Amino acid sequence: MRFKSLLRKVQPAALREYLRTSLWLVPVTGVLAAIGFAQVSLRVDQRIEQNQEAWYLFYGQADSARELLSTIASSLMTFTGVVFSITILVLQIASSQFSPRVLRTFLEDRFTRFSMGMFVGSFTYAMVLLPEVREPTDQHPAFVPALSIFLAFVLVLLSVGVFVRYIHHMAHSIRAVHVIHRVADETRHSLARMYPEQAREPVAPVTVPRTPPDQEFPHDRPPGVVMAIEEAELLALACDRDVIIALVPMVGDFLPRGAPLFKVWGQGRLSLDELRDCVVVGEERTPYQDPAFGFRQLVDVAERALSPAINDPTTAVQALDQLHDLLRSLATRPFPAHLRVDTSGRLRLILPRPDWEGLVRLGLDEIREYGESSIQVARRLRAVLGDLLSVAPADRQAVLQEQLSLLEASARRGFHTEVERRSARLGSTQGQAPGSTPAPGP
C-alpha cells in the first residue's frame, strides 16, 4: 500500500521534465545495454570453435586480444572525456552569450545524450570482455572471444563516426540562429498544446464568485515556480466535491512559502494534500505548460544581444523574427477560457493564464526599451506591428496601437535628429537601410 501511495504522488509533468533534462539517463542505459550485449556475445563465443576461421572473427592469441581490448577501452574513455568537456564548455558559452534560461535546450539535446551513451556503453563493453580472455592452463583451455572482440572493434568504428558527427552537431548548435530556432520551435509546441485552435469560450455566461472563499489553502512547502497543473484531475476533484476551485498563481509564477495557492467556494471539504498533488512546483519554469517561458527566453536572447557588452542587433532581430511568427499565429487564434465548467455548465475551475495583451507586451516591451537607440530594431519592431495589425481582429488591435505609440516615443528619445527618426519609422523585415524598399505598415 505504501508503494502504491508513492506512485500516486509521482506527478507525470515533473517526471517528464526530469527525464527530458537528465544527462545521466542515456549513459546509464548505455552501460546496462552494453553489459547485457557483452553477456550475449560471450555466450555465442562459447559455442564457436576456437580454431574456426571467418572474416568476422578475431584471429589473435590471448595476449593480442587483451592488448586490443585495453587500447579500445582507453581510446573510448578519451572520447568520453572529450565529449563531456565539450558539452560543459558549450553550456558555459550558451549561458554567457545567450541566456542561462536556454541551457535546458542543450540538456534536452538527444544527439548529445546519445553520444555519451554510445561512448560509455562501448567502453563498458570492452571492459566486460577484458577479464574473459584467458590463457591456457592445466584445468582450462585458452579462451579468446573472437566474435565479441570483432564486435568491440565495430563499436570503435561507430564511435569514431558518432564523434565526428557530434563535433559537427555542437559546432552548429551553438550558433545564435540555431538556439533561437530551437526555443521558438519548443514554444510553438507549447502554444499548440495550451492554446489549441479549436479552443472556445463557454457557451453560456458564467458568473465568477464575488463573495469571500469558503476555504483557502496556502503553499506550505519550500518556495518554487509553478511548472504545471494537472487540470483534468483538478476538474474531477471539483466535480466530485461539488465546489469551485480557483488556482491563485499562474503557471510560471514564483510561489513563496505561505502564499495563497487555492481558493475554494462550496461546502465540500478538501485537503491541501489532494489539491497540492494537482500542482507541480519546481525550481525553474518549463515550456511544457508555459508558452510565456518561450517568449521569455527569446526576449532574454534579444536583450543580451542588445547589451553594450555584446552590441549585436542582428541577433536581436532574429529573435524578433521568431516572436513575430509566434504572435502572428496567436493573433487570430481563440484563446481557451480561464474558466472551466462541468457537463451541466456549472463553473468548477478558475485557472489564470496569459492573454493576448500579456503575450504582446511580454514579447515586445523590453526589446523596444533595450533597442531604443538601434535603428535596425526600431524598423523590425515597426514591421512586426504593421503585419500584426493587418491580421489581428478589431478587439485585439488596441494593444498593438499602444505598442506603436510607445515605439514612436522610444524613437523620439533614442534618436536625436528628425532625419534619424524618419528613417527609424521605415518598417523593415530585415532592418535594412532606408534606400531599400520598406515593408508595408504604419
Side-chain angles (χ1 to χ4, degrees):
M1 294 297 293
R2 184 177 181 182
F3 179 71
K4 292 182 179 179
S5 176
L6 181 62
L7 284 179
R8 286 196 297 269
K9 293 184 178 181
V10 176
Q11 296 166 310
L15 180 61
R16 184 189 307 110
E17 185 63 25
Y18 178 74
L19 295 178
R20 288 183 63 181
T21 56
S22 295
L23 285 177
W24 63 268
L25 184 62
V26 175
V28 168
T29 304
V31 169
L32 298 177
I35 294 174
F37 183 49
Q39 297 301 322
V40 172
S41 64
L42 286 170
R43 287 183 178 275
V44 174
D45 270 310
Q46 291 171 357
R47 298 177 180 270
I48 296 176
E49 296 181 10
Q50 291 296 299
N51 58 357
Q52 182 177 342
E53 293 185 2
W55 65 269
Y56 54 84
L57 298 178
F58 177 76
Y59 298 137
Q61 301 299 316
D63 289 341
S64 301
R66 285 200 189 93
E67 184 176 352
L68 177 60
L69 289 174
S70 298
T71 302
I72 289 174
S74 60
S75 62
L76 288 171
M77 181 51 66
T78 301
F79 273 148
T80 304
V82 171
V83 168
F84 275 90
S85 299
I86 292 175
T87 302
I88 296 301
L89 179 62
V90 166
L91 292 177
Q92 291 176 340
I93 293 174
S95 177
S96 60
Q97 184 174 350
F98 302 114
S99 167
R101 278 154 291 283
V102 304
L103 291 185
R104 65 182 313 281
T105 64
F106 291 90
L107 296 176
E108 289 182 357
D109 190 274
R110 294 180 180 179
F111 190 77
T112 298
R113 293 187 287 177
F114 170 77
S115 300
M116 293 179 179
M118 182 71 185
F119 299 141
V120 173
S122 300
F123 166 78
T124 303
Y125 180 79
M127 292 300 295
V128 172
L129 296 183
L130 195 55
E132 299 296 330
V133 180
R134 297 191 297 268
E135 297 281 359
T137 63
D138 294 337
Q139 292 80 16
H140 302 283
F143 178 68
V144 177
L147 177 62
S148 298
I149 294 175
F150 172 77
L151 293 176
F153 181 71
V154 171
L155 287 175
V156 171
L157 295 181
L158 291 176
S159 296
V160 171
V162 170
F163 182 73
V164 174
R165 178 67 178 83
Y166 171 80
I167 296 297
H168 170 83
H169 176 75
M170 296 307 290
H172 281 271
S173 66
I174 200 64
R175 296 168 57 214
V177 65
H178 182 83
V179 174
I180 291 170
H181 269 273
R182 288 191 61 179
V183 173
D185 286 342
E186 196 173 43
T187 307
R188 290 186 189 96
H189 291 305
S190 182
L191 286 175
R193 188 183 305 112
M194 302 306 298
Y195 296 84
E197 295 188 8
Q198 71 274 14
R200 291 293 182 268
E201 300 287 337
V203 176
V206 177
T207 302
V208 178
R210 300 297 180 185
T211 59
D214 297 299
Q215 303 176 67
E216 290 191 47
F217 297 92
H219 178 62
D220 63 345
R221 291 189 174 179
V225 173
V226 179
M227 295 170 53
I229 302 169
E230 302 293 343
E231 185 175 324
E233 294 183 12
L234 204 57
L235 179 60
L237 186 62
C239 294
D240 181 63
R241 306 297 170 84
D242 192 22
V243 295
I244 300 173
I245 300 176
L247 177 68
V248 177
M250 189 183 302
V251 173
D253 284 352
F254 178 77
L255 194 60
R257 186 191 292 271
L261 181 58
F262 286 101
K263 294 181 179 180
V264 178
W265 288 265
Q267 300 305 313
R269 306 311 298 175
L270 294 167
S271 68
L272 180 58
D273 286 339
E274 55 189 353
L275 287 172
R276 192 195 296 117
D277 288 343
C278 298
V279 178
V280 182
V281 179
E283 295 181 349
E284 62 176 348
R285 299 171 69 177
T286 68
Y288 180 70
Q289 289 188 5
D290 188 7
F293 181 57
F295 281 69
R296 177 76 271 163
Q297 291 179 82
L298 291 171
V299 171
D300 284 352
V301 171
E303 289 179 358
R304 186 68 61 94
L306 292 171
S307 66
I310 297 179
N311 194 23
D312 181 14
T314 301
T315 297
V317 167
Q318 290 175 329
L320 266 173
D321 291 342
Q322 299 300 323
L323 288 167
H324 180 191
D325 177 75
L326 294 170
L327 289 172
R328 202 179 203 278
S329 70
L330 287 171
T332 57
R333 182 178 299 183
F335 278 43
H338 68 285
L339 306 178
R340 291 288 179 269
V341 297
D342 58 18
T343 54
S344 62
R346 298 180 60 188
L347 177 63
R348 290 304 182 191
L349 286 183
I350 303 175
L351 301 175
R353 68 174 72 224
D355 57 9
W356 166 248
E357 293 187 6
L359 291 173
V360 170
R361 293 191 176 103
L362 172 61
L364 303 181
D365 275 350
E366 295 175 35
I367 297 179
R368 184 190 65 251
E369 178 184 353
Y370 284 91
E372 187 174 87
S373 59
S374 171
I375 195 167
Q376 188 177 171
V377 172
R379 290 172 181 157
R380 186 66 184 99
L381 278 171
R382 190 168 290 272
V384 170
L385 292 169
D387 182 62
L388 293 178
L389 282 168
S390 70
V391 297
D395 60 341
R396 295 188 180 181
Q397 293 198 3
V399 66
L400 301 176
Q401 294 291 352
E402 177 188 81
Q403 289 292 317
L404 274 177
S405 300
L406 292 171
L407 184 60
E408 180 63 27
S410 294
R412 288 195 297 268
R413 292 192 303 268
F415 303 104
H416 303 294
T417 66
E418 188 58 33
V419 174
E420 291 176 312
R421 293 169 189 155
R422 284 199 302 269
S423 179
R425 294 189 187 105
L426 296 174
S428 168
T429 55
Q430 297 181 17
Q432 67 260 35
S436 58
T437 303

